[in-house]
Amino acid sequence: MTAAVSPRWGVIGTANIARAAFLPALRAAGGIPAAVAGRDLARAEQYAREHGIDRAVAGYQNLIDDPAIDAVYIALPNSLHAEWAIRALEAGKPVLCEKPLCGVLADTERVLEVARRTGTLLWEAFVFPFNEQMDRIRSLVSGGAIGELREIQSDFRFLVSRPGNIRLSAELEGGALRDVGCYPVRLAQEFFGEHATAWAACERGGAGIDIETWGTLGYADGRRLLLSCGLRRAYDTFSRLLGTTGQIHISNPFHPGPDDQVTLYPARGEETHWPAAAAEPSFTAAVRHIDAVIAETEQPRLLAVETSLVTARALHDLAACWDA
């Protein structure tokens, strides 16, 4: 790659997340949607036509092996992340893998070992840490706007109504905690680091998954995350950061839209509101950064080898509480 060439991306899988979130951001960031791979070539060709991808490829390995592809985005069920991330990393292709990086801790450890050994770049698709909104929130917290941050309360819920949805399958490593509970966990990690204690409960549903989970992670010096997540009620991503002298409310910390906002409530004085985000798809800042790293114009940050194991351990410890 040279700095003058836009990266050519290959999409592994024909999932809705690629259509709705990744591809619009890729175009906004200036990357090229060069190919999409599917197990069924006819379906992949239809997906490519409908979503403006240059061509379709039969089989995930064929896309990974294609010298005309510079980076891959993995949009497969959680149970397939480890295999195809490892294959791409071994082939030397930078990877953006949908979250969670893997559905189970042991697979996360395997993938990260390969990333370290090969030196191939790997990101987990938590895109909110790259966004302008998170820069503002970090600045407010580090600047003492709410005193000492002591607690984060964070929800992520939406309605899954189709019985065949992959999120409802234990075999495909779905469930509320993995699919949306990982976001509050990753948000708390931004400010508190690695957890020391975990407690959670769940309600079972679907095909053997947690349809709802609620719980807490404890961190050093008594700080905590209170989280709630689920797949059977209306969309909700509200979060609060509670400090010793104020609060920050975030209507959507993870994928903010034009109507979302960040609000500071100081213990004394007037509340202050900020618009949540730049007028671009939520994946854009992350994809723009990855493109710049591939083009060797930026140094990589927020790599999976730096962030993903802490998240995976927290998800593992929360899930272990269900049957304890």
Side-chain angles (χ1 to χ4, degrees):
M1 287 296 298
T2 66
V5 177
S6 296
R8 299 162 298 184
W9 282 83
V11 178
I12 296 180
T14 55
N16 283 335
I17 186 69
R19 170 194 58 79
F22 175 73
L23 288 169
L26 176 62
R27 294 187 180 92
I32 298 170
V36 59
R39 292 173 296 179
D40 182 323
L41 180 59
R43 179 178 176 181
E45 288 174 337
Q46 179 180 354
Y47 190 93
R49 287 193 301 271
E50 291 177 352
H51 305 305
I53 301 171
D54 292 349
R55 57 192 170 90
V57 176
Y60 307 147
Q61 190 65 49
N62 288 332
L63 184 143
I64 289 170
D65 293 338
D66 190 334
I69 297 299
D70 301 310
V72 298
Y73 168 63
I74 297 176
L76 297 171
N78 296 335
S79 59
L80 298 178
H81 287 185
E83 175 184 358
W84 293 104
I86 287 172
R87 286 174 180 250
L89 293 168
E90 295 279 15
K93 295 288 171 72
V95 174
L96 175 63
C97 183
E98 258 311 318
K99 36 52 55 188
L101 181 60
C102 298
V104 296
L105 177 58
D107 283 346
T108 303
E109 292 171 336
R110 286 197 302 124
V111 171
L112 294 177
E113 188 281 325
V114 173
R116 293 187 187 96
R117 174 171 54 79
T118 62
T120 308
L121 297 167
L122 170 65
W123 286 268
E124 185 175 14
F126 288 111
V127 298
F128 69 90
F130 292 91
N131 289 346
E132 178 183 306
Q133 173 177 255
M134 275 304 300
D135 289 340
R136 182 181 301 280
I137 295 166
R138 290 189 196 100
S139 179
L140 289 169
V141 172
S142 64
I146 58 171
E148 180 189 359
L149 177 60
R150 299 295 303 166
E151 180 172 300
I152 296 174
Q153 300 172 357
S154 185
D155 294 353
F156 199 153
R157 293 174 174 271
F158 71 101
L159 181 64
V160 174
S161 56
R162 184 171 59 84
N165 192 296
I166 63 171
R167 296 173 178 85
L168 301 180
S169 168
E171 182 180 359
L172 298 178
E173 298 176 0
L177 180 62
R178 289 184 176 120
D179 194 69
V180 286
C182 59
Y183 282 94
V185 168
R186 184 65 182 83
L187 176 63
Q189 185 179 324
E190 280 290 301
F191 298 99
F192 295 155
E194 187 159 7
H195 72 287
T197 62
W199 175 88
C202 79
E203 182 172 344
R204 301 286 184 176
I209 54 93
D210 62 309
I211 197 76
E212 293 190 296
T213 284
W214 57 98
T216 183
L217 292 171
Y219 300 85
D221 194 31
R223 297 170 298 169
R224 68 189 67 87
L225 165 70
L226 305 182
L227 71 97
S228 175
C229 61
L231 303 174
R232 67 174 188 182
R233 79 179 196 210
Y235 190 80
D236 171 22
T237 57
F238 186 77
S239 294
R240 297 199 301 169
L241 277 59
L242 289 79
T244 53
T245 61
Q247 301 182 14
I248 298 169
H249 292 192
I250 316 158
S251 61
N252 188 335
F254 309 122
H255 295 292
D259 296 328
D260 289 301
Q261 64 180 9
V262 175
T263 305
L264 170 65
Y265 294 94
R268 294 183 177 83
E270 295 295 320
E271 62 196 60
T272 306
H273 305 270
W274 292 272
E280 60 185 18
S282 66
F283 270 59
T284 306
V287 175
R288 186 183 295 119
H289 169 69
I290 295 170
D291 284 355
V293 172
I294 293 171
E296 300 181 347
T297 60
E298 289 185 17
Q299 291 299 308
R301 58 192 180 93
L302 296 171
L303 290 166
V305 293
E306 301 165 350
T307 64
S308 295
L309 187 57
V310 173
T311 310
R313 285 172 174 160
L315 296 174
H316 175 271
D317 289 354
L318 288 165
C321 297
W322 294 336
D323 302 313

